[in-house]
């Protein structure tokens, strides 16, 4: 089969295509997404194309990573537009499974995580990474890609996935992709559509604050002080609250008192009812 674009709904359809590609020695990349695709996802597809000859984009709004009070039912969905976006970006196959292809009746398995999954997002969303790890493991076993592509936008998720595939010996390379941002610095996100015009205008303060705190840390500032001041600046700038703004080891995500090794500033802050995530690299002083 040529590189012509197509969509699969069932595991059988996915595997038929993957087996055809394998038979002709194609190198296969998987880009897992929840749809509502934007330029950030496009940069993942482009990275996938540079690293593989066939690119599968999965679109699945995973119910297991949403708590009952979260936005599962109103999460933005626009499948026709997403399929066009994948085709335009040079992807070869959209895997948009029906729920039963991922969670067949009687499904009773879940993955428990420690290490990089502890704290940060897990504090506000205790079941989140178990849901992510379960669906990522399924998608990797279903598609059997050579490489899977994840954005640094969800930095803790990236570290959880890297740990997961190492710990479970899943034979796939994980390719991280830098954060795609709007011209004013706001990290692109499917949930940015929830921002009102006023909130959207204030939102770039998050990345600007992270950049400023990262610069202070790189010149030797105490992390607790610099992060507390950054959080205060966000609240003064109109954010409703800061769930965390913290310096972590870039690999293990353990807390750092100062930037004496490669670190990552990680933040989650609320603007009105919208929770924004962002992060910034911190190089040692
Ligand atoms: P989502 O559809 O939001 O679950 O995201 C699917 C993948 O796209 C994840 O690996 C995200 O980290 C990645 N992603 C989302 N937004 C961005 C962005 N602005 N820049 C880079 N990657 C992103």
């Amino acid at each position: 089969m040529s590189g012509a674009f197509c969509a699969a709904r069932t595991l059988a359809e996915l595997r038929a295509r993957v087996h055809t590609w394998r038979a002709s020695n194609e190198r296969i990349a998987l880009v897992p997404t929840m749809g509502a695709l934007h330029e950030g996802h496009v940069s993942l597809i482009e990275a996938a194309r540079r690293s593989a000859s066939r690119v599968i984009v999965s679109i699945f709004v995973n119910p297991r990573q949403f708590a009952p009070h979260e936005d599962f039912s109103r999460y933005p969905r626009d499948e026709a537009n997403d399929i066009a976006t994948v085709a335009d970006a040079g992807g070869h196959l959209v895997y948009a499974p029906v729920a039963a292809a991922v969670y067949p009746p009687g499904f009773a398995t879940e993955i428990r995580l420690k290490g990089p999954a502890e704290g940060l997002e897990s504090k506000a969303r205790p079941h989140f990474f178990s849901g992510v790890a379960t669906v990522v493991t399924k998608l990797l076993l279903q598609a059997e890609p050579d490489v899977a592509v994840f954005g640094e936008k969800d930095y803790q998720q990236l570290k959880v996935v890297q740990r997961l595939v190492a710990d479970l010996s899943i034979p796939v390379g994980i390719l991280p992709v830098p954060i795609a941002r709007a011209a004013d610095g706001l990290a692109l996100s499917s949930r940015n559509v929830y921002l009102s015009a006023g909130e959207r205008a204030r939102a770039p303060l998050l990345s600007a604050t992270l950049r400023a705190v990262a610069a202070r840390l790189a010149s030797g500032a105490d992390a607790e002080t610099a992060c507390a001041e950054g959080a205060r600046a966000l609240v003064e700038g109109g954010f409703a609250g800061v769930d965390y703004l913290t310096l972590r080891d870039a690999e293990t995500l353990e807390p750092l008192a100062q930037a004496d090794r490669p670190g990552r500033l990680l933040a989650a802050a609320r603007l009105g009812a919208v929770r924004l995530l962002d992060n910034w690299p911190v190089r040692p002083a």
Side-chain angles (χ1 to χ4, degrees), residues 32-35 37-38 40-41 43-44 65 75 149-154 157 177-181 187-190:
T33 81
M34 297 206 301
L37 301 182
H38 51 65
H41 299 109
S43 72
L44 267 55
Q65 68 192 65
Y75 192 84
V149 186
F150 288 84
E152 290 183 346
K153 162 74 171 44
D154 301 284
Q157 171 175 284
V177 173
I179 301 176
R181 298 180 179 279
L188 300 181
S189 166
S190 305

Side-chain angles (χ1 to χ4, degrees), residues 7 15 53 70 79 89 147 165 192 198 204 219 233 235 245 250 254 270 281:
R15 287 213 162 127
S53 53
E70 291 180 346
E79 194 181 274
V147 62
V165 302
N192 288 351
S219 47
V235 172
L245 194 173
E254 284 162 1
R270 284 169 281 111

